[in-house]
Every structure is written in structure tokens, then in C-alpha cells.
Amino acid sequence: MEEILEQYSFDFNGAAPTIVAESRDELRITLGEFAGPLDLLLYLIRKEQANIFDIPIAKITNQYVLYIRLMKKLDFAVAADFIVMAATLIEIKSKMLLPREPSEESDEEIDDPRQELVDRLLEYEQYKSAAQMLYERTTVEQAIFQRGKIETDENNAEINASVFDLLNVFQKIVARHKDEVQMEIHREEISLADMMKNLKRRLFEFKELSVLAFFEEMHTKRELVTAFVAVLEIARAEGVRLTQSSTFADIILRTS
Amino acid sequence: METETETEIDIEIEPVIEKKSLRSPGELVAVVEALIFVADEPISAKLIAEILEEDRESISAAIDNLREEYEGRESGLQIREIAGGFQIATRTELHEDVRKFLKTRPSAKLSLASLETLAVIAYKQPVTVPEILEIRGVQSASAIKTLLEKRLIVTKGHKETVGRPMQYGTSKDFLIQFGLNDLSELPSIEDFEDLVG
Amino acid sequence: METETETEIDIEIEPVIEKKSLRSPGELVAVVEALIFVADEPISAKLIAEILEEDRESISAAIDNLREEYEGRESGLQIREIAGGFQIATRTELHEDVRKFLKTRPSAKLSLASLETLAVIAYKQPVTVPEILEIRGVQSASAIKTLLEKRLIVTKGHKETVGRPMQYGTSKDFLIQFGLNDLSELPSIEDFEDLVG
């Protein structure tokens, strides 16, 4: 924990976390988000002013792990991809510690365990710069305005649809009339997987969902049981919250 | 509030005194043009003056200037005074060409009802009107008419059931407008599953 | 059984060639301006030529003329070439006043994750979700959903590999929103190399 207390700041273009230990008992935190593990890694390398082609892997790995611990400690959900990268780093670090076989020593081109990571970082950094370029372009574009509505624009609100909209709309309709469609066309019972899929989709779309209303859509006892299990499963596994304002009140599923 | 005295030194050019306009007359005309252009409805000189924090006289002068300019060059557009405000519109003489364009422009734009109907037809084809009603829960007759007119759907023969209802499916134009090579490229629900996780 | 095949009323416009234009050059500029104005998205020189039954060269000349005219007078507007077409829009310098009138703030910017995902899609298209993951090192599902909803990207059919994953590419809206005439206007990805290190 001592480590955390040394002046430690993560500051990235204002868009990412700033964690500053101001004193022994105060940790000032401004958290944003790194766009991904590679982003964090690049940041740490920059901060150390290290050469990307010769990454001080032990040091960077320690800092990376420290950062993730800090995030966890502060109860921030750490995406799995960040953990995967930590594992990769640790693996590279341990490979670097292995004594090289004598036969390899003469070899000019010794495989550097860091090489693959460096390649990924370099490629990633290009896209990161491209993203920056896009960002700047939007800033310019937002200073340009198109004409207001004129009579000849069709008066009714029209949708310039894409295939994605088509599917989206279709899904909505199906959801709206799921029961009827099922009874008349399929007749088969909905599986737990499908029920969860359905529930997830709606939860994702509406951010919250009345559990009661969801249960009321069920037609058979079996479906109801499946729905119930689905709700439990999702509440357990998917980072959603169940809230109830008072006893016997409706239970609301919310994405957190 | 400031007292706006009639400081008519030179209405034409000098943006009037105590407000100390930072805009040159040319700049004022330009920004007035931009505001009239972006407004959804005719915009009044008063409103323009408020936005720009200029006095009414300078704005009126700028608008006059702008109108003359539009008339001076043989523009395809005109500044119209309408309902107490100003708007940019195409010149009346050009209406024939404009109308022709509006008629022929390809458009995948659809009302929500049409889009829903199209979605059902795309995913369930061939499908009959009663079946669409069944799925959407609403009458779709006018949507189907629109889709036929836009040539996004075509008839696919009668269904051999009671009443032999007409079946509909998507057209070649549908594929083109939605950027698909064939119907198999239509995304399925599974394709977006992981986006919804 | 009557098979009703595609009942297509042919609205196709023949790209007429040898037609002697009845319009003077000035008239042509005017009507071109009117069409660009009424079109609700960038309109191509080709389409204008078809509508007006003029040849491409005269239309291009008229557009050039028009652009010069807009630049010549200190207009508040500009003719932009974007997404393969032409469009009238306000001049950048006037954004403050325009925004004040429209009462808009610069719209919500895309998140870092969405921008990165968009960059990968723009340069690697058509590209699948696993391929994006490979480059970004992080799941991009919600970014992709956002981009689809904002219509900046579109699906580009399935990739014929294991699992037939959906491919994505940028849309016309992407070009419009990022002020590009076409994808070739994007700086090449190698140009970002020297920023590394």
C-alpha cells in the first residue's frame, strides 16, 4: 500500500483517470476511462519516458498491476481485457527473467518476449492517433451548419433507415407481439437461454424493466418459472441491480 | 436597458454607435445571411438583432443589402419576406426544375410505420397483409402502398390459402438502397447478439 | 396463378447527351444553386446533370462558378464538396453566432472508445468485431452499437470465415459528419507512424 501513497498521478488528456495521493491520508481521485489496456500501457510507458522498443517490462508491469488493484480497491469494475493484459505482462516479465540458453547467446536475433506486445502497441497507437484526427475533424465540422427546414422537405418525420434499423425495428415488433407469434407459429416452450436473451435485450434497450410486467407476459407456468430463473441469473451475472421501493412493491431490474 | 436614440449618422454602412458593433458591414451581412439560412422558420429582423446584439436599423440595412445582392447576381435563391420574417427560398421561375428534382430523388426515407412494415416483409417474406397485421398488430395498407411506390417491395404472387391473399417480398431496389448484395446479407438477430450483451 | 412480377413504373431518367442547352450560363448557375439548396443531402454533379439534362462538364463549370461567387462576395455561406456531392452550409467563422441562435451546444462528442473503434473501422473496412478486438485489445461491442445508432457505420455483409462474423464499414453519414468527400481523403494510416516513439 505504501506504493500508492507516493505521488501517483494518472492524467491523460483530461479524459482519463487522475489519481493523486495528496497526502498520507488523502487520495484525490478523478476517474475517467482508458480506452483499453493498450491505452493504459501506452500511458504508463509515456509517463516513464521509456523507449517503446525497450520497455522496462518489470517496472511497467508493476505499475500496470498497481493501477488495476487501485481500480478494484475503489470498486471500479475492471474489464476482463485489462486483466488479460496484466497476465500477458506478467508472462513476458517472467520470460525475461529466464536465463538464456548459451547456444542462443551468439544469435543476433534472439526472440524478444516483448516483440509481439511492441508490435501491438505500435499498431494500436496509429489508430489512437487516427481517432485523435477524427476527433479534431468533428470539432471543425461542428462549426458548420446546414440549412434549416424548408417546405419541400417532407413534413412527416422520416427515418433514413439502415439495415441495422430494420433489424432493430423488427426485433421490437417481435418483442411487442412475442406471445402471439409464439403461440401461433412455434408453440414450443421458450428455453432459459432464449428467455435470458430476450430479457437482456430489453434491459439493454430500456435500461430498466419491471419484473412484474415481465412475468405477466408469460403464458404458461413453465414460462413463468423460466422467466423467474432468467431474472435471477441476470441479476447474478450481468451486473444489473434489483430494486424494490417497498415490500411487495414491484421489483425493478436496472442496468448498473 | 440602454436608450436607443436615433443615431442616424449613416444607416447604410456604420453599424450604429453606442453598441459598438465589432462587425464590419460586410461581416454583418454575412452573419445575417447565415442566420436566415439555418432558421427553420422565417426569422424576424428583431430576433436577428437580439441574437447579434446589434440594433434593428443595422440589421434591416444588412437584410436590404443581402436582398439586393441576391437580386444583383442572378442567384437561384431569393430572400423572401414572409410572416414577419425572412427566409431563403428558391426563385419562383426555377420551380419546374426543382420539382423535377424533388420527384426523382431516390430516397430510403421512411415513416416509422413504413419502416416497421418493411422490416416485417424483409424478415418474413413472402408474407401477406393479414400476416403483417398479425405481427405488427396494426393495419399496414398505406405503408404497403408507400413501399410499393418507393419500389422497396414487390408482389410475390398469391398465397394458396383461403382468400388467396397477395404475398409481398423485398425488391432489387431494396437490396441496393440498403447496400446488400443479396438477402443472406440481411443481418440476423444473432449478428448483433454480442452488441446487446 | 398470376405471378405479379416487379410492377415497375420506369421513372429512370435517361442521361441525355446531345441536348442543346436552352439555358444561358448564368441561368445554369442559378438553377444549380437552387438544386443544391433544396437537396437535403449533398447532391452529386451527376444527378444535377441528369435532372437538368445538361452534360457533366457544364454542370461542373457552373458549380465552380458558383463556388467562386460565394467566395467572392463575403457570403455567410459556402459551397462544400462532401460525400461525393455538393452542399450549401454556413461558414466556419460564424459558428458562435449561429450556435447562439440555434441554442445548440456542440453535440455530445463520441467517447474515446467509440472514436478508436471508428478509426479502426474507417481504416480497416470491411472489418469484423474480432478483428477490431485484435487491434484495440478491448471489447468494442458497445462502441459499435453506438456507432450503428449514430449511423456512422453500416453492416457490410458476413465474412466468409468460421462463424460468418458480420463486417462493418463507414457510412455516407460518416463522410458527411467528418467533412470528407470520400474515404481517400483520410490521411493514410502510415502517416500516423511518426507520432510514435
Side-chain angles (χ1 to χ4, degrees):
Chain A
M1 286 311 102
E2 278 298 295
E3 278 173 297
I4 296 177
L5 292 177
E6 70 192 46
Q7 177 75 8
Y8 211 85
S9 90
F10 291 90
D11 183 8
F12 177 79
N13 281 348
T18 316
I19 302 175
V20 185
E22 291 203 305
S23 68
R24 295 237 140 216
D25 6 76
E26 248 184 87
L27 200 60
R28 186 165 59 81
I29 307 147
T30 328
L31 278 166
E33 216 180 322
F34 283 104
L38 292 168
D39 197 14
L40 172 56
L41 210 48
L42 270 181
Y43 165 75
L44 294 173
I45 293 167
R46 280 289 129 72
K47 198 169 119 321
E48 284 304 314
Q49 296 182 314
N51 180 354
I52 200 164
F53 295 101
D54 187 18
I55 303 170
I57 204 80
K59 194 168 189 183
I60 296 294
T61 302
N62 288 346
Q63 292 198 1
Y64 185 96
V65 172
L66 175 71
Y67 178 85
I68 287 182
R69 276 211 199 111
L70 198 56
M71 294 287 280
K72 279 192 161 170
K73 210 174 155 59
L74 297 167
D75 263 350
F76 285 94
V78 176
D81 302 297
F82 282 85
I83 313 281
V84 171
M85 178 58 74
T88 309
L89 287 171
I90 291 163
E91 193 194 338
I92 295 172
K93 187 174 138 188
S94 60
K95 272 193 191 150
M96 304 271 299
L97 293 172
L98 287 179
R100 292 201 184 111
E101 285 182 24
S103 61
E104 276 181 292
E105 245 168 46
S106 55
D107 220 336
E108 291 269 307
E109 293 285 309
I110 302 165
D111 274 349
D112 189 330
R114 297 172 297 185
Q115 193 53 52
E116 199 193 323
L117 181 64
V118 172
D119 290 343
R120 284 188 70 190
L121 279 169
L122 290 174
E123 187 183 25
Y124 169 72
E125 177 134 58
Q126 284 187 341
Y127 288 99
K128 197 171 148 54
S129 305
Q132 181 66 31
M133 176 273 298
L134 289 178
Y135 176 82
E136 279 153 19
R137 286 199 86 100
T138 44
T139 313
V140 174
E141 285 306 306
Q142 288 200 347
I144 295 168
F145 296 84
Q146 285 160 41
R147 68 158 166 77
K149 292 211 168 49
I150 54 174
E151 289 161 50
T152 49
D153 298 340
E154 259 120 318
N155 359 346
N156 58 328
E158 294 202 319
I159 300 160
N160 203 348
S162 69
V163 174
F164 179 65
D165 299 306
L166 215 54
L167 179 75
N168 241 339
V169 159
F170 183 65
Q171 275 181 283
K172 272 183 203 149
I173 301 164
V174 171
R176 210 161 67 199
H177 287 264
K178 185 128 196 151
D179 314 323
E180 289 94 321
V181 176
Q182 256 172 5
M183 288 202 314
E184 271 150 50
I185 301 174
H186 293 303
R187 271 212 186 279
E188 66 215 21
E189 292 281 5
I190 182 167
S191 69
L192 178 60
D194 285 347
M195 185 69 80
M196 285 180 66
K197 224 178 276 172
N198 176 15
L199 186 57
K200 263 196 251 178
R201 196 187 58 230
R202 285 169 50 174
L203 198 54
F204 187 89
E205 186 178 338
F206 300 110
K207 305 288 180 269
E208 57 178 49
L209 186 76
S210 152
V211 171
L212 196 62
F214 185 68
F215 287 167
E216 272 168 0
E217 290 172 24
M218 303 306 143
H219 280 169
T220 63
K221 212 180 252 177
R222 227 188 114 80
E223 268 185 18
L224 192 58
V225 172
T226 314
F228 183 67
V229 177
V231 168
L232 289 184
E233 278 296 311
I234 279 170
R236 192 171 61 88
E238 302 289 334
V240 300
R241 287 175 299 140
L242 283 167
T243 54
Q244 192 175 27
S245 56
S246 63
T247 326
F248 303 122
D250 190 8
I251 298 170
I252 306 293
L253 264 177
R254 272 197 189 86
T255 52
S256 50
Chain B
M1 204 164 110
E2 273 169 73
T3 38
E4 287 188 33
T5 38
E6 307 253 315
T7 41
E8 299 175 38
I9 301 162
D10 194 342
I11 307 175
E12 272 285 56
I13 305 162
E14 287 294 325
V16 184
I17 299 190
E18 63 249 43
K19 291 241 166 118
K20 273 261 160 68
S21 173
L22 296 169
R23 299 177 181 94
S24 74
E27 281 167 357
L28 193 56
V29 172
V31 71
V32 165
E33 185 181 21
L35 291 189
I36 297 176
F37 176 78
V38 296
D40 279 335
E41 276 163 22
I43 180 174
S44 68
K46 182 164 172 283
L47 182 54
I48 297 175
E50 278 166 24
I51 303 284
L52 300 180
E53 295 175 33
E54 300 275 355
D55 55 66
R56 283 284 295 278
E57 289 73 29
S58 341
I59 299 300
S60 297
I63 293 172
D64 286 347
N65 238 307
L66 195 61
R67 298 179 83 162
E68 279 163 30
E69 205 175 82
Y70 272 62
E71 271 152 44
R73 65 190 177 102
E74 289 174 64
S75 168
L77 307 176
Q78 56 174 325
I79 305 286
R80 263 210 311 205
E81 187 167 7
I82 192 169
F86 297 89
Q87 71 174 188
I88 299 178
T90 54
R91 220 179 261 293
T92 330
E93 311 89 82
L94 303 172
H95 277 189
E96 209 176 298
D97 289 321
V98 169
R99 204 165 296 133
K100 189 170 167 200
F101 161 66
L102 292 171
K103 241 189 258 170
T104 55
R105 85 186 140 166
S107 173
K109 290 193 172 179
L110 297 168
S111 68
L112 184 61
S114 302
L115 186 62
E116 278 194 16
T117 307
L118 183 59
V120 173
I121 293 173
Y123 281 96
K124 290 276 180 184
Q125 60 188 303
V127 64
T128 67
V129 173
E131 286 161 356
I132 299 169
L133 168 65
E134 187 73 19
I135 296 169
R136 282 192 65 218
V138 218
Q139 292 293 344
S140 308
S142 79
I144 288 170
K145 190 162 168 280
T146 307
L147 295 172
L148 282 168
E149 279 167 5
K150 287 191 189 269
R151 297 193 283 162
L152 291 168
I153 60 168
V154 289
T155 54
K156 295 273 186 192
H158 294 278
K159 186 169 185 175
E160 294 307 328
T161 56
V162 187
R164 301 185 70 246
M166 182 59 77
Q167 300 179 110
Y168 297 91
T170 53
S171 67
K172 202 180 279 175
D173 278 15
F174 167 82
L175 295 177
I176 295 168
Q177 292 214 18
F178 284 85
L180 302 165
N181 285 318
D182 54 60
L183 279 176
S184 75
E185 287 193 355
L186 205 59
S188 68
I189 290 160
E190 289 74 38
D191 287 322
F192 293 115
E193 220 155 49
D194 34 340
L195 302 188
V196 178
Chain C
M1 189 173 112
E2 39 182 314
T3 34
E4 284 192 31
T5 38
E6 321 223 340
T7 45
E8 300 190 8
I9 316 120
D10 225 24
I11 317 179
E12 208 127 291
I13 315 115
E14 324 95 71
V16 181
I17 304 171
E18 294 278 355
K19 202 158 261 185
K20 269 272 174 301
S21 175
L22 298 169
R23 299 174 181 96
S24 74
E27 281 167 356
L28 193 56
V29 172
V31 70
V32 164
E33 185 181 20
L35 291 190
I36 296 176
F37 176 78
V38 286
D40 54 7
E41 44 179 65
I43 180 173
S44 68
K46 182 165 170 284
L47 182 56
I48 297 176
E50 282 170 15
I51 304 285
L52 300 179
E53 299 178 26
E54 300 275 353
D55 55 67
R56 282 285 294 278
E57 288 71 36
S58 343
I59 297 301
S60 296
I63 293 172
D64 286 345
N65 239 308
L66 194 61
R67 298 178 85 162
E68 279 164 30
E69 205 174 84
Y70 271 62
E71 272 152 44
R73 64 190 178 104
E74 288 175 66
S75 169
L77 308 176
Q78 56 174 325
I79 306 282
R80 301 215 315 156
E81 189 168 5
I82 194 169
F86 295 88
Q87 161 187 87
I88 301 178
T90 60
R91 230 178 252 292
T92 326
E93 312 87 81
L94 303 172
H95 74 272
E96 261 174 60
D97 291 320
V98 173
R99 199 166 279 144
K100 188 171 169 201
F101 165 62
L102 293 174
K103 296 196 181 74
T104 56
R105 265 175 253 154
S107 64
K109 297 261 165 79
L110 291 168
S111 71
L112 209 53
S114 297
L115 274 170
E116 271 186 27
T117 307
L118 186 58
V120 174
I121 293 172
Y123 281 97
K124 285 271 184 181
Q125 60 188 305
V127 64
T128 66
V129 172
E131 288 160 358
I132 299 168
L133 168 64
E134 187 70 32
I135 293 174
R136 292 195 57 226
V138 64
Q139 295 293 340
S140 308
S142 76
I144 289 170
K145 186 152 188 289
T146 304
L147 295 172
L148 279 167
E149 281 166 358
K150 289 189 185 283
R151 301 165 191 285
L152 293 169
I153 60 169
V154 289
T155 57
K156 295 274 185 191
H158 297 97
K159 185 167 184 172
E160 294 307 329
T161 55
V162 187
R164 301 185 76 245
M166 184 56 80
Q167 301 179 108
Y168 299 91
T170 52
S171 66
K172 190 172 177 183
D173 276 14
F174 166 78
L175 296 177
I176 294 174
Q177 289 195 32
F178 287 85
L180 298 162
N181 194 26
D182 57 53
L183 284 174
S184 71
E185 283 192 1
L186 281 176
S188 96
I189 192 73
E190 285 77 30
D191 288 346
F192 294 114
E193 224 153 50
D194 50 358
L195 302 174
V196 174

